[in-house]
């Protein structure tokens, strides 16, 4: 897989992705501000080798944080990077999540050398929680943000 900063055309593609049912929670509406955020350098595309097809994207830092978690003071700490992950809707549920997550995790560790990675996931997203748990993420806390329960999960890289 190839990782590179998210380009303008890729940002527009992501704004057209539509998830089924309750997962529509993750749909991103198009606006100039959204495109500006997605291309500000904290978002990355994950494509097949040679960049032929976008598999998903991820972001690092404050854009990966959820407002309710900020209000609860859950995002402090040293040597930790917050990660937000999104896979293309038509690829969800096809068994590609483990490789996608491993690619994002390894890239983040290799590039930024954090001791820990932290992510926030909607509590209803059981398949993502199962994937993260299997990959070594552990639940730290639960919090509410705009009426949705989220879990804060932490991965500590082996020494």
């Amino acid at each position: 897989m190839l990782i590179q900063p998210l380009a303008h055309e890729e940002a527009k593609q992501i704004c057209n992705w539509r998830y089924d049912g309750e997962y529509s929670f993750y749909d991103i509406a198009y606006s100039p501000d959204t495109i500006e955020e997605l291309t500000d350098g904290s978002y990355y595309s994950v494509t097949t080798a040679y960049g032929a097809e976008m598999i998903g994207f991820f972001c690092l830092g404050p854009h990966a944080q959820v407002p309710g978690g900020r209000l609860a003071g859950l995002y402090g700490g040293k040597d930790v990077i917050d990660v937000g992950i999104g896979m293309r809707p038509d690829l969800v549920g096809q068994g590609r999540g483990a490789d996608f997550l491993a690619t994002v995790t390894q890239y983040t560790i290799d590039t930024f050398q954090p001791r820990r990675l932290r992510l926030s996931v909607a509590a209803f997203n059981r398949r993502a929680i199962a994937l993260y748990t299997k990959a070594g993420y552990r639940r730290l806390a639960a919090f509410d943000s705009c009426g949705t329960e989220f879990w804060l999960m932490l991965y500590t890289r082996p020494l």
Side-chain angles (χ1 to χ4, degrees):
M1 289 185 224
L2 178 66
I3 294 175
Q4 54 195 1
L6 197 68
H8 188 268
E9 286 304 312
E10 292 169 324
K12 286 172 45 179
Q13 286 177 36
I14 290 167
C15 291
N16 287 319
W17 291 355
R18 294 296 170 258
Y19 295 90
D20 292 332
E22 66 186 339
Y23 296 99
S24 66
F25 173 83
Y26 293 106
D27 292 352
I28 298 174
Y30 174 87
S31 76
D33 288 343
T34 299
I35 298 299
E36 185 176 331
E37 177 182 325
L38 291 171
T39 58
D40 74 356
S42 62
Y43 285 79
Y44 301 83
S45 65
V46 180
T47 60
T48 56
Y50 313 109
E53 177 184 26
M54 187 166 42
I55 296 166
F57 70 97
F58 66 99
C59 64
L60 301 173
H63 289 308
Q65 298 173 354
V66 176
R70 277 194 214 113
L71 289 172
L74 297 175
Y75 291 117
K78 293 182 179 180
D79 203 19
V80 61
I81 291 181
D82 290 290
V83 181
I85 300 168
M87 182 175 260
R88 203 174 78 210
D90 63 314
L91 299 178
V92 172
Q94 294 185 7
R96 297 176 79 170
D99 286 342
F100 178 65
L101 177 61
T103 297
V104 170
T105 299
Q106 196 60 54
Y107 174 86
T108 304
I109 289 169
D110 290 347
T111 305
F112 301 101
Q113 301 293 310
R115 177 76 177 110
R116 299 170 295 158
L117 283 74
R118 181 173 51 206
L119 56 81
S120 300
V121 58
F124 70 79
N125 194 346
R126 295 292 181 201
R127 60 186 178 203
I129 290 169
L131 174 70
Y132 301 148
T133 300
K134 188 173 181 181
Y137 284 80
R138 298 292 171 246
R139 179 181 163 177
L140 290 178
F143 63 92
D144 180 82
S145 189
C146 301
T148 299
E149 181 184 358
F150 284 84
W151 286 12
L152 190 66
M153 300 185 77
L154 185 72
Y155 173 83
T156 302
R157 70 179 167 109
L159 292 176

